[in-house]
């Protein structure tokens, strides 16, 4: 007899989202700006053009924090 398995799709009970949907949108926006070459680093965007995917994600999360979206605190 073949044993049936339950799929592990969907959320597990009692687990909360780490990032809000707004934070996800902010990161997606930063990634689009990185691809188009308009995402800049530094305060006020006065630094150089961002080339790293990791840096683009960090900038997107930082912008989400400023807007008040649910994002975990930075690890220090």
């Amino acid at each position: 007899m073949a044993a049936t398995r339950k799929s592990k799709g969907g959320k597990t009970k009692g687990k909360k989202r780490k990032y809000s949907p707004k934070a996800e949108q902010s990161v997606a926006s930063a990634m689009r700006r990185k691809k188009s070459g308009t995402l800049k680093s530094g305060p006020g965007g006065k630094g150089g053009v961002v080339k790293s995917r990791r840096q683009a994600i960090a900038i997107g999360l930082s912008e989400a924090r400023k807007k008040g979206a649910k994002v975990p605190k930075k690890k220090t």
Side-chain angles (χ1 to χ4, degrees), residues 18-20 22-23 26-27 57-75:
K18 266 191 174 179
Y19 300 91
S20 67
K22 281 284 185 189
S26 183
V27 171
I57 292 169
I59 290 170
L61 289 175
S62 176
E63 289 170 355
R65 278 189 193 94
K66 286 176 188 171
K67 290 177 187 172
K70 183 185 172 198
V71 182
K73 289 182 181 177
K74 291 180 188 179
K75 291 180 182 177

Side-chain angles (χ1 to χ4, degrees), residues 9-18 70:
K11 291 184 187 177
T12 56
K13 193 174 182 182
K15 234 178 181 191
K16 291 184 180 177
R17 292 179 75 108
K18 266 191 174 179
K70 183 185 172 198

Side-chain angles (χ1 to χ4, degrees), residues 20-66:
S20 67
K22 281 284 185 189
E24 197 174 324
Q25 288 173 2
S26 183
V27 171
S29 169
M31 292 302 285
R32 280 193 298 274
R33 287 184 284 147
K34 176 201 170 267
K35 285 181 181 179
S36 67
T38 58
L39 183 63
K40 299 221 174 176
S41 64
K46 295 186 180 198
V49 177
V50 173
K51 293 187 172 127
S52 165
R53 175 187 168 93
R54 252 184 161 178
Q55 192 176 4
I57 292 169
I59 290 170
L61 289 175
S62 176
E63 289 170 355
R65 278 189 193 94
K66 286 176 188 171

